[in-house]
Amino acid sequence: MDKTHRSLTRSGFLWVMVAAGFLLLVLAAARWRENGPGTLVWLAGFMAMFVIRLPYSIRNRRNAIVEAHKGPDEVILLFAMFATMMLLPLAHLATGCFAFADYALPGGAVAAGAFLQIPFLIIFWRAHADLGRNWSPGLEMRQDHTLVTHGIYRRIRHPMYAAIWLSALAQPLLIQNWIAGFLVLPAFAAMWIIRVPREEAMLRRRFAQAWDGYCQRAGRVLPRFGTPTGRDG
């Protein structure tokens, strides 16, 4: 009996969303004067994130998935992240549809948001590069999945989530709107709280003692240095 699953990267819906996102991106860029300079920084970061991830999305479509968690809660979490990190910001920047929810922060907020984009993109790129064929947008385990403990994963177990935390913190500084900017924070906090324990449980089932030993050497989103202490980070 074939127990492989269809990878989320093979979904035709994904490519429809990519096309729609590109159209919104063009419209948003054309309205940068109305939206302000912070939104240009956000759009540049969004494009860089897309360029970093696209080659892995294409290549990893060939992965044979042997374990996948695609329940309603996982779908809701993924949709909430897609909506708050991409769809709502792009829709607002392209059309101004959420202008009623705008707020104003001091001028230094945009500079802080722009600064956060730098470590976000560096960590985001490095995490994809080190994961390679093991990367997937969903809770999936491929047939030849390996436990990655080199590169940025040497000291941090979840650098991808660390990068997205930085992006989520930057977004409401760059897009000063309660719907298009701020909502990403509760959406990603929910994903972090619900999904990470499941992901770690899946890795523990697959790699057993190797995973437990790795957890002693690497923190969750903050790097761990020195002698293992048994604390999580």
Side-chain angles (χ1 to χ4, degrees):
M1 180 177 177
D2 184 5
K3 293 185 179 180
T4 60
H5 303 262
R6 183 180 177 86
S7 172
L8 285 178
T9 58
R10 296 188 183 187
S11 172
F13 177 75
L14 173 67
W15 297 106
V16 173
M17 292 299 99
V18 167
F22 181 77
L23 176 61
L24 289 173
L25 186 69
V26 171
L27 295 173
R31 296 185 72 251
W32 74 269
R33 288 181 179 83
E34 294 94 325
N35 294 323
T39 59
L40 274 182
V41 176
W42 184 87
L43 288 168
F46 178 84
M47 277 299 299
M49 179 179 68
F50 178 79
V51 168
I52 289 169
R53 177 158 283 185
L54 184 61
Y56 297 92
S57 297
I58 294 172
R59 186 180 65 174
N60 292 5
R61 293 178 69 199
R62 298 191 296 271
N63 283 353
I65 304 301
V66 296
E67 183 177 354
H69 299 269
K70 300 179 181 179
D73 50 353
E74 174 71 3
V75 172
I76 290 170
L77 288 173
L78 286 173
F79 179 77
M81 287 305 300
F82 169 75
T84 57
M85 284 197 78
M86 302 178 193
L87 182 59
L88 295 178
L90 286 173
H92 174 62
L93 297 181
T95 67
C97 57
F98 302 126
F100 63 88
D102 283 347
Y103 55 80
L105 296 175
V110 170
F115 176 79
L116 288 173
Q117 294 288 77
I118 298 171
F120 155 56
L121 290 171
I122 292 172
I123 297 171
F124 191 75
W125 162 72
R126 189 66 256 175
H128 279 84
D130 289 337
L131 273 182
R133 291 297 294 271
N134 294 307
W135 175 79
S136 170
L139 281 180
E140 300 175 344
M141 191 77 68
R142 74 188 183 100
Q143 195 165 54
D144 300 315
H145 209 99
T146 57
L147 179 60
V148 177
T149 61
H150 64 272
I152 197 167
Y153 284 86
R154 183 166 179 260
R155 299 295 182 185
I156 306 176
R157 302 200 301 272
H158 300 291
M160 195 80 71
Y161 290 104
I164 297 173
W165 267 122
L166 292 171
S167 177
L169 291 170
Q171 187 167 305
L173 302 176
L174 299 172
I175 304 176
Q176 296 177 17
N177 182 278
W178 290 108
I179 297 172
F182 182 81
L183 277 184
V184 70
L185 284 172
F188 186 60
M191 172 167 275
W192 171 257
I193 292 169
I194 295 170
R195 192 199 233 207
V196 170
R198 295 176 179 176
E199 187 171 324
E200 294 206 331
M202 183 172 67
L203 290 163
R204 182 170 284 110
R205 286 194 301 272
R206 178 67 178 262
F207 299 109
Q209 291 182 349
W211 170 257
D212 290 332
Y214 174 54
C215 289
Q216 296 297 311
R217 303 191 303 272
R220 270 185 167 171
V221 291
L222 297 176
R224 179 177 294 162
F225 299 98
T227 303
T229 62
R231 293 181 294 106
D232 215 353

